[in-house]
Amino acid sequence: MSYKCIYNGTILTMNEDRHIIEKGAIIIRDREIIEIGDCKELLSKYHDCEMIDGKGGIIMPGFINGHCHVSMSLFRTLGEDVPDRLRKYIFPLEENIVDEKLVRVGAKLSMAEMILGGVTTFVDMYYYEDEVAKVTKEMGMRAILGESVLNKKTPDSHKPYGGIDYSINFIEKWKKDDLIIPAIGPHATYTNDGEHLLKIKDIAHKYDVPILMHLSEMDFEIERFKNEYGKTPIEYLDSIGFLCEKLIGAHCVYTTDNDMEILKKNRVSVIHNVGANAKSARPIAPIHRMLKKDISVGIGTDGPMSGNHQDIISVMHQYTKFQKVREGDRSIASALSAVELGTIRGAKAIGLDKIIGSIEVGKRADIIIIDTNTPNMLPLYDYYAGIVYGAYASNVTMTMVNGKVLMKDRKLLTTELSHIYDEVSQMKDIILNMIKS
Ligand SMILES: [Zn+2]
């Protein structure tokens, strides 16, 4: 058995009491946290441990990116600042260009960025999701992965709704994995009809897997459901019996008060992607109000084409500021609430709070260290405010997933960054050539 000890730092446990342990230590056996406490006490008790020095920084649960499309990193900065980017630019580009190699290279680049920024778990929906799963295993991250299902042909399916068959095979292949949780990903309300959505719900219940979906995100989506059904998309999904606790809905920027009641009644989780939403000039989701209604909420980056960054520190920062502006109240959306969304609440929203999201005995060791001895972090009177308002992703100095160190002192240990850069450069040439032709 292998033992590790993370010591010499302030532990933000994010447990139910939000307990903070100054000069704390954590003992890890294999993938599990087995003891948490005073540094001196634990160091005298455990001897044969691999020691990880916190150097006086913050030791906390790894961040959870509740919604992304990792492979889209290779499209970052293409077609920026244009109207209706999804239908005019992204969909046509994907149809012509996305293949297994692009998915692998893009996924690797995003995962490198996430590990360097302290993200330990992410939720992804895209194409060739089996390739994303393989890269996730190589890199050592934890992930919920869902193949996208659309009512049209996609890069990996020649027929509409081909993603359903793909998903069944994918789920059966990965269902027992320790780090990968397979899911099914109906792309959105406007790319899936009611009949297929109910079929997808049946599959999710049969295999006991999450459903990942873009929800109440687009202006044309709201228009269409209003014209066709006289309902919001969320009211429509409720009326056909699709909503359930397995659904993790990304965005929900157009939610009405009635929509919020429906989400709560059906225990649907919401993932807030404020950076990507703001860049697309969408409304800011009423997250403060959702939290008051006890709706389960997490945060995400969305795809790197939409949100560019793949780190959660910047999303926590944006969440607090946009909610304060939205509600006209600087006292809401506290730094603590942001860290909760990035850790334990995020874990709950994706159904993994029993194993991750906080530093507690019996949970998996998904832990990061944030360096506080830097100009942007000093002085530090309030740990949560320091992280949310002051930290950069580059302040993260150690990332551990399932007891395994993936990054230490800013060096990735499960991959070689220079190899990734070479592959990205090759892919950039291929993409540019295809766009020109
Ligand atoms: Zn998305």
Side-chain angles (χ1 to χ4, degrees), residues 2 64 125 131 135 153 163 176 237 311 317 334 352 429:
S2 95
I64 294 162
M125 51 193 296
E131 299 303 316
V135 175
K153 71 182 179 79
K176 292 200 167 73
L237 293 177
D311 79 280
H317 185 102
S334 67
L352 295 182
D429 291 343

Side-chain angles (χ1 to χ4, degrees), residues 321-383:
K321 289 187 175 172
F322 278 102
Q323 288 301 308
K324 288 173 197 295
V325 171
R326 186 185 193 283
E327 304 295 339
D329 183 351
R330 78 185 314 281
S331 70
I332 63 152
S334 67
L336 170 60
S337 78
V339 177
E340 288 172 344
L341 291 177
T343 58
I344 187 64
R345 278 189 189 271
K348 186 159 188 265
I350 61 170
L352 295 182
D353 54 315
K354 296 257 182 321
I355 60 166
I356 58 167
S358 60
I359 296 181
E360 293 181 77
V361 170
K363 281 200 173 181
R364 305 290 164 81
D366 287 13
I367 300 170
I368 63 169
I369 297 172
I370 296 180
D371 184 9
T372 53
N373 199 26
T374 61
N376 60 311
M377 294 296 283
L378 290 173
L380 193 57
Y381 305 106
D382 177 327
Y383 296 106

